[in-house]
């Protein structure tokens, strides 16, 4: 039996209790329709923290034990399962949260596979990318353009696709204003996609470092969400708002900025005390993104139209990095990397 090292979670617990263990475990082998990836990098998402700490146990996540977290993965194809075509050993590839879908339901056959009721999520229902090797479904694995660095590209596979899908729900352009609330890993990508439409982009957040990054990435204006006067100054000014911070106070702030007749896209859960009909506003929820949208994200990155902002750490330091995420101490997207991996 061959082996590998991976971050495994036996039982969910607070990250302060160090529930992840970097240890030797069985190296998986691809089944028909699957391929094995020699992992170069895996981004660190707040949803990883939610799963590890047990916030989603009532929803059946994690679905297996032990489980390897991580759902924004890049690496090189290292083995092919039976029947896999379109990939060769050594190809640079990536995997997003949508690990698989049924391929036969109405959602899958209409290009909306992210809504498939039988979808499996990478690192939640199956083992993910906090490891040296990972199994992926070939139908949900994406070639990464050769011009892209695999460590820097990892966040394209969660923040990138999630932000793109949210902005893609809007019909905005020059002369319009879009406000982005929540400037973490996803928010810093949404600022860029919104700016590509030609709209004026207002980035709203509470962390000075995140506001600085938003300005670097094309935000026309930045607003400290802790400053009531600054929020009042942009009240009723945005044609669209997008929220990536799962807090009721943020939702309230976002609706305060949204014009009558405007659209709010939420990429996180939200709670509404009321929703007055007389403002004729629209709410649209957005979850992950489709395969077609993922390919568009990679094309935009290869063309140099968007970029990620990352800090890289060795894979063995996952607990330390997740602790920093929990404390709000990360300026940008953290990425766990396996040093020395080549095609």
């Amino acid at each position: 039996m061959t082996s590998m090292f991976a971050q495994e979670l036996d039982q969910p617990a607070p990250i302060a209790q160090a529930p992840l263990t970097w240890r030797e475990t069985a190296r998986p082998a691809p089944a028909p329709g699957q391929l094995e990836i020699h992992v170069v990098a895996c981004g660190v998402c707040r949803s990883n923290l939610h799963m590890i700490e047990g916030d989603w146990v009532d929803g059946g996540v994690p679905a297996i034990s032990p489980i390897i977290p991580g759902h924004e993965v890049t690496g090189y194809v290292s083995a092919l399962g039976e029947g896999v075509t379109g990939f060769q050993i050594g190809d640079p590839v990536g995997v997003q949260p949508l690990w698989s879908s049924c391929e036969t339901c109405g959602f899958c056959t209409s290009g909306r596979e992210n809504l498939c009721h039988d979808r499996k999520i990478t690192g939640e229902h199956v083992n993910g990318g906090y490891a040296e090797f990972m199994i992926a479904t070939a139908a949900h694995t994406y070639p990464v353009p050769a011009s892209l660095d695999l460590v820097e590209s990892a966040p394209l596979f969660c923040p990138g696709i999630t932000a793109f899908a949210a902005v893609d729900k809007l019909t905005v352009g020059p002369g319009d204003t879009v406000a982005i609330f929540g400037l973490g890993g996803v928010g810093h990508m949404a600022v860029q996609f919104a700016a590509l439409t030609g709209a004026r982009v207002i980035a709203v957040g509470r962390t000075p470092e995140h506001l600085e990054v938003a300005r670097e990435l094309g935000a026309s204006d930045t607003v400290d969400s802790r400053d009531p006067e600054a929020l009042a100054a942009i009240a009723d000014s945005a044609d669209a708002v997008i929220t990536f911070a799962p807090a009721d106070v943020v939702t309230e702030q976002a609706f305060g900025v949204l014009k009558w007749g405007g659209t709010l896209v939420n990429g996180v859960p939200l709670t509404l005390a009321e929703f007055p009909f007389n403002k004729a506003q629209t709410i649209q929820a957005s979850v992950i993104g489709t395969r077609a949208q993922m390919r568009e994200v990679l094309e935009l990155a290869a063309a140099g139209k968007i970029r990620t902002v990352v800090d890289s750490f060795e894979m063995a330091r996952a607990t330390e990095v997740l602790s920093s995420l929990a404390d709000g101490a990360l300026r940008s997207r953290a990425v766990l990397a396996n040093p020395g991996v080549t095609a």
Side-chain angles (χ1 to χ4, degrees):
M1 179 185 72
T2 57
S3 63
M4 67 175 185
F5 275 86
Q7 295 281 1
E8 290 192 317
L9 175 72
D10 293 316
Q11 295 293 332
I15 195 65
Q17 297 179 16
L20 288 177
T21 303
W22 178 246
R23 65 192 179 199
E24 193 170 9
T25 188
R27 177 176 166 179
Q34 298 178 346
L35 49 80
E36 181 193 64
I37 298 172
H38 194 177
V39 175
V40 170
C42 183
V44 178
C45 182
R46 185 164 292 274
S47 63
N48 301 157
L49 187 63
H50 283 301
M51 186 195 76
I52 289 165
E53 295 197 316
D55 295 341
W56 296 339
V57 169
D58 290 346
V61 174
I64 59 174
S65 179
I67 190 168
I68 301 169
H71 62 225
E72 49 195 81
V73 191
T74 57
Y76 297 103
V77 176
S78 50
L80 299 172
E82 181 182 347
V84 173
T85 59
F87 294 97
Q88 296 181 348
I89 303 299
D91 284 351
V93 294
V95 176
Q96 58 134 305
L98 187 60
W99 189 83
S100 72
S101 58
C102 76
E103 308 294 355
T104 59
C105 71
F107 293 116
C108 287
T109 56
S110 62
R112 297 176 293 161
E113 62 277 357
N114 56 317
L115 301 180
C116 175
H117 292 9
D118 292 325
R119 68 191 181 198
K120 288 184 172 59
I121 302 300
T122 314
E124 295 178 13
H125 300 120
V126 298
N127 284 325
Y130 284 18
E132 292 182 311
F133 294 90
M134 189 192 97
I135 296 298
T137 304
H140 288 272
T141 301
Y142 304 86
V144 174
S147 61
L148 296 179
D149 178 86
L150 288 181
V151 174
E152 294 178 357
S153 296
L156 296 175
F157 290 91
C158 180
I161 180 58
T162 301
F164 181 87
V167 174
D168 203 33
K169 290 184 176 294
L170 301 173
T171 303
V172 292
D176 295 320
T177 297
V178 179
I180 311 292
F181 285 76
L183 301 176
V186 182
H188 92 274
M189 298 299 302
V191 166
Q192 297 177 79
F193 291 124
L196 285 176
T197 70
R200 171 190 176 217
V201 180
I202 303 174
V204 185
R206 62 180 182 176
T207 306
E209 291 80 7
H210 288 173
L211 294 171
E212 180 184 355
V213 170
R215 286 190 291 270
E216 292 174 3
L217 297 177
S220 304
D221 300 281
T222 57
V223 173
D224 188 333
S225 61
R226 301 166 300 177
D227 184 343
E229 291 186 4
L231 285 170
I234 60 169
D236 195 27
S237 67
D239 300 279
V241 297
I242 307 177
T243 61
F244 295 115
D248 292 348
V249 65
V250 173
T251 301
E252 183 179 347
Q253 291 172 345
F255 273 111
V257 172
L258 185 63
K259 288 180 180 178
W260 290 29
T263 298
L264 179 145
V265 177
N266 60 300
V268 290
L270 55 79
T271 301
L272 297 176
E274 59 177 305
F275 186 59
F277 75 94
N278 63 305
K279 293 184 179 181
Q281 294 168 325
T282 301
I283 299 174
Q284 290 200 58
S286 185
V287 57
I288 321 174
T290 67
R291 283 176 280 206
Q293 289 173 323
M294 186 69 247
R295 288 189 284 269
E296 286 188 66
V297 170
L298 291 168
E299 289 173 4
L300 289 169
K305 294 183 178 180
I306 59 166
R307 64 182 177 92
T308 60
V309 180
V310 306
D311 286 320
S312 179
F313 305 85
E314 288 197 15
M315 191 71 71
R317 298 174 62 186
T319 295
E320 174 191 340
V321 174
L322 285 159
S323 297
S324 295
L325 177 63
D327 293 338
L330 296 175
R331 177 181 183 269
S332 59
R333 194 60 157 194
V335 173
L336 301 175
N338 289 312
V341 177
T342 57

